[in-house]
Structure formats: structure tokens, C-alpha cells
Amino acid sequence: MSFLPKRFASTFTMKAIPSKSHHHFQLPSSSFPSGFLLGGIHAGVKKKAGVPDLAVILSTSEHPTSAAACFTRNAFKAAPVLVSDEILSKNGGYARAVVVNSGCANAITGKQGMDDAWAMVKATDALLSPSKSASKFEHETLVMSTGVIGQNLPISKILAGIESQSPRNEKTRVLGSDFKAWERAAQAFMTTDTFPKLRSRVFTIGGVEYRLAGMDKGAGMIHPNMGPAGTSFFSAPKQLHATLLGCIMTDAAVSPRSLQSALTYAVDRSFNSISVDGDMSTNDSIYVLANGAASNGKIIDEETDTEGYEIFKKELTDFAADLAKLVVRDGEGATKFVTVTVKGAPSYRDAHNIASRISTSALVKTALYGEDANWGRILAATGSVPLQPTSANAVSPTIDPTKVSVTFVPSDGTSALLFSSMVNLRR
């Protein structure tokens, strides 16, 4: 029932958000990396029956599976982040499984949250087949959680769901390697997402064909700032229920140090370069598993195979960017997709900081939403960013307003609109 006078009702009408489902489509099963079993099930974390809320990803390769991660720099790191960080550090960059739940973030939940995260790790470890490398590590599972902050997991339901995927339970086990299995796993990542985010690609290094596939999620609370284990950046917790999670798998063999190096580079140029609402989550995590199932004994390493490593790093970066773009397109309430490109900055860091300031400016966002080419707001945001000195004793560079221009490039291929700050300097 509306309590507004009828003549004012149209003033409050919201613009309909167009469907984004076309960003999800079937991928050929042959494009997925070999040596992985995965799937998604409804464990009961989410209230709606049948909606996937638990994903299990297992590496079945006979080769050692390297693992790398970039975690949130939020000071209030969630229990899954802390537990996975510890496992990767102890194992020296090896892990063979990932378990993910949606519907509850298990963040800021104290000792109980840590106990629950470890319980998920141990239950998933039990699903792994014995291997020669297994005896080296106490735990081989990384864990992710996403959903409401400050609530405890329904851990008994989650553990029962993980157990249902044991080879002993043939009637309930749904793990597979085809498109449907990957799709169900991607669906289990979702919170307020409107479509599952899944992509795959095939690439070649030294005449050997490899595959990359991965999934991510995120619709709100999206302004990632992730780095390798041990990095931090303070940000107060927000009582929201979304985050950025991503998991990428490849059947290439990559040394742990090189996998981490490539992922850090890729994340800086993809996930750390997107923003929806400017809020950094307590749970943001991106994992990569490289199981070597297609390697024929060839190990990609940045020191012993520079050419192969550079190809892999580029493929991973491009792939991560594709996944990151899907997160932006599915932003809560988002109707525009905008790429901010900064040219001529003294350093990559300066360019990144300027692009970030522009993309998070409320005034810029309202201009873009209203389809108003108010380029002055972009210049104002640009000019508010202090440039960084190139060395400890160097003088910080400054922006020269007479050499700055703003260009709007329509995505439909029509002519670009060029504006220059010089117009403000003319008499």
C-alpha cells in the first residue's frame, strides 16, 4: 500500500535493471582443465531448498598440485582467510582441494569461526585420494566462505554436505568434470549474484596445449585490495553480505613460487582494478590450483623457463581480467560498465590510484548513470590524487593541468568525445 499522493508516485519510480543472464552461457567440456573433479550442492546454509550453497573442488592429478592465493588486506580477515593462509604457508604453496560455502561469511566469529573453518578443511581432506605427496602435508584443502558477516556457520549441515561427496556415497555424490559440474560449482559461489560467473580457455606453451577455467562471485561490497599472504591494510568492517571470491584451475605444471608471482601480478591488473561500491570485504580471496595433468613433466618456472612463464602470466592475467569484468557487470544495481584508462602517469601505481579515485567518485558515478558527459568531475577526481615519488629521496611529481585531456569512448564504436582542461585556462 502506498501512502504517497498519487500525483507524486511517479517521482519515486526506479529504473528497471536489465537482465544480465546473457553473460552466462554453455562452455565446451573440452575447454576445461583435466585432472579436476568438482560440483555444487545444497547443504542447507541458504534457506531456499535446492539452491547450491556448497562447492567442492578436487585435484585428481598424479602430479603435485601447486597452489597460490591473494587474500584481502582488510584487518578483520575472516576465519577462512586465516586458515587458508596458514595451510599455504605450511605447505610451501601446495594444496589439492578447495571447499566453498555461500550464505554465511564466517567472518568476525572468533574461536568458533576458526574451529568451523578447520572442520571444513579436515572433512574435505578426507575426500582426496591418497597420493605420494599427501604424506608431506597435514592438510591439503583451502576454504572459502561468503555471505552474512558476524554469524556462525551451520557447520553440521556443511560437514554433512561435504561427506555426501565421498566416494562411499554413490547416491549423493555429484562431482564431475563436464560443463554441468563446473556450472553447479559456480552457482554454489553465488550470494546476491544474478548469474553464475564461469569461463574457460585453451592456450599453448612450447607446443603443449593447456587449459584454464575458473569461477568467481561478487555483486556488492566490491572494491578488492588483495595481496599475497602476510599483507594487510586497515579497513573497518561493514555489516554487509557480499564479497569477492574466485578460484582458477589449470592443468599446467607451475612451480609454487612462479604461480604465486603470476597470480599477484594478475590480481593487481584485474580484481584489484575493479570497484562497484567502494567497500573492501573481510573475505576477498582468489585461489589458483595448477595440477600438471597436461604437462608431460614440463614445469613452468620464472627462473628456468622465462619465456614459458611470461606466456603463462599473460594468459592468467587476461583470464583473471575476464572474470573480474563479470563481477563489475553484475554489481548490485549496476546499469553501466565503464573502463577507466590512465595514460602518461609517472608509474603504474600512480595510474592505478588515479583510475581508482575516478571510479569511486560519487560525482563521477552519478554523471555516468545520468549519461551526462560532465568531464569536469573526472578532472577534479584526477587532480585530488597525490603522485608518488619514484624513490625515497625523490621529489613527488605533480600533474600539469595544461597537458591533461579527457576522452569518452563509446562502446558501440561511434566517435569518441575529446575534452581538454585547456578550455578552463583560456581567457
Side-chain angles (χ1 to χ4, degrees), residues 68-73 81 88 144 225-229 231 244 246 259-268 271-272 283-288:
C70 282
F71 299 110
T72 182
R73 290 188 171 108
V81 172
L88 276 177
M144 290 176 167
N225 185 356
M226 297 179 286
T231 57
L244 173 79
L259 189 64
Q260 184 62 62
S261 177
L263 178 62
T264 302
Y265 180 92
V267 165
D268 280 343
F271 297 105
N272 281 355
N283 293 57
D284 290 340
S285 303
I286 302 294
Y287 299 159
V288 177

Side-chain angles (χ1 to χ4, degrees), residues 195-212:
F195 65 89
K197 298 162 181 62
L198 174 66
R199 290 291 184 267
S200 63
R201 68 166 53 188
V202 179
F203 63 100
T204 302
I205 299 178
V208 180
E209 189 173 82
Y210 301 107
R211 290 163 180 79
L212 267 173

Side-chain angles (χ1 to χ4, degrees), residues 230-242:
T231 57
S232 64
F233 176 84
F234 180 79
S235 176
K238 304 288 194 298
Q239 297 303 314
L240 300 175
H241 59 281

Side-chain angles (χ1 to χ4, degrees), residues 203-208 210 253-254 258 262 298-316:
F203 63 100
T204 302
I205 299 178
V208 180
Y210 301 107
V254 188
S258 296
K298 175 73 172 179
I299 299 177
I300 299 170
D301 183 86
E302 56 191 316
E303 293 186 2
T304 61
D305 181 17
T306 303
E307 183 179 355
Y309 169 75
E310 289 298 327
I311 295 173
F312 175 78
K313 184 174 72 171
K314 184 182 184 305
E315 291 289 345
L316 181 62

Side-chain angles (χ1 to χ4, degrees), residues 163-183:
E163 169 62 22
S164 73
Q165 299 309 298
S166 169
R168 298 188 301 271
N169 300 315
E170 295 182 4
K171 293 183 178 180
T172 56
R173 184 174 165 94
V174 298
L175 302 185
S177 58
D178 60 2
F179 170 75
K180 286 297 182 183
W182 285 82
E183 182 182 47

Side-chain angles (χ1 to χ4, degrees), residues 61-82:
S61 173
E62 297 179 355
H63 302 275
T65 300
S66 300
C70 282
F71 299 110
T72 182
R73 290 188 171 108
N74 195 303
F76 291 85
K77 292 179 175 63
V81 172
L82 296 173

